[in-house]
Amino acid sequence: MKFDILGVKVDNATMDEAVAAVTKLMESGGRHIVVTPNAEIVLMCQQDDELKAAMDKASFTAADGVGVLAAAKKLGTPLKQKVAGCDLGFNLLFEAAKRECGVFLLGSKPGVAEKAAKNLCEKVPGLIISGVHDGYFSPEQDGEIIKLINDSGARVLWVCLGAPKQEKWMAKNRDALNVSVMLGLGGSLDVYAGNVKRAPEFMIKLKAEWLYRLIKEPWRFSRMIKIPRIMSLAKKEAKRRKNNAGA
Ligand code: UDP
């Protein structure tokens, strides 16, 4: 079931349900896009029609972030759980490994995907990394990158180019890519390469991962003030829906 969060259709799923749904997409043989919007991406969609259209092409949309969850609650459609893209991508690797589906890692600075691949192979028994490439290439090189991915035989593709670049790139190139499922996963390769640490477990449990990231990467402050902004839009939208229902 999908809920409309300020125009973005977000799947209402627990992490386990999300992994099961994306595994099904992986097995389906189609070409599927998975997006993992946080508050910043939902806000970008209000102004960026190309991004909005790209998000609409997704087969599965995970609610990545407390801002999206809080907005959903305000709208009267609370979501079951936060489904962080980073964790969804990781959990899917176990399902890919079990089915011998290769995974291609695209994105981040040169060397990061290689490092992430090595670490992920240590964590996920039987994982097949079909190939890696950094995320700093021009649109003219798209054809070359797509060929590299297709020739690798990968069924799963991590696209870690940051938002909104990764969502637009997936929407534009989906039909040329012979992968079953491509996931837009932001800075996940940096996390698995060990370049960016995740918050300690207790902070994740307290829903304070944002605070940890703010301390570690203070430049994120401008992004975090997006949470009050999404809440104010959600409040307005909730009011509008209520008035419409009453009319
Ligand atoms: N990136 C990239 N190509 C670009 C711009 C960014 O591969 O042209 C990468 C960047 O190196 C980083 C990721 O995209 O690894 C974006 O990470 P960020 O933490 O900003 O994303 P978030 O997880 O917050 O969405």
Side-chain angles (χ1 to χ4, degrees), residues 38 40-41 106-109 112 134-137 160-163 165-166 185-190 213 217 219-220 223:
N38 54 15
E40 191 185 17
I41 299 179
L106 176 68
S108 296
K109 300 211 171 93
V112 176
D134 68 75
Y136 292 85
F137 53 89
C160 302
L161 307 174
K165 196 172 179 179
Q166 61 201 11
L185 297 178
S188 300
L189 290 174
D190 295 315
R213 290 187 88 178
E217 300 162 286
W219 55 268
R220 285 186 179 275
R223 291 186 171 190

Side-chain angles (χ1 to χ4, degrees), residues 203-234:
M203 281 186 105
I204 297 179
K205 283 212 175 101
L206 286 172
K207 299 190 174 28
E209 193 172 1
W210 61 273
L211 180 62
Y212 180 84
R213 290 187 88 178
L214 182 60
I215 296 164
K216 289 277 175 191
E217 300 162 286
W219 55 268
R220 285 186 179 275
F221 181 70
S222 67
R223 291 186 171 190
M224 279 162 189
I225 51 176
K226 301 287 186 324
I227 294 183
R229 174 87 190 113
I230 197 175
M231 288 313 288
S232 122
L233 285 184

Side-chain angles (χ1 to χ4, degrees), residues 18 22-23 25-26 32-36 60 62 84-90 92-93 103-104 106 155-161 166-167 170 179-186 188:
V22 180
T23 301
L25 297 177
M26 177 173 75
H32 297 280
I33 293 174
V34 174
V35 290
T36 61
F60 190 89
C86 186
D87 296 328
L88 175 60
F90 179 70
L92 185 69
L93 296 179
V103 179
F104 195 105
L106 176 68
R155 291 271 299 279
V156 176
L157 172 62
W158 280 26
V159 185
C160 302
L161 307 174
Q166 61 201 11
E167 290 76 15
M170 290 191 292
V179 299
S180 302
V181 61
M182 56 199 87
L183 305 97
L185 297 178
S188 300

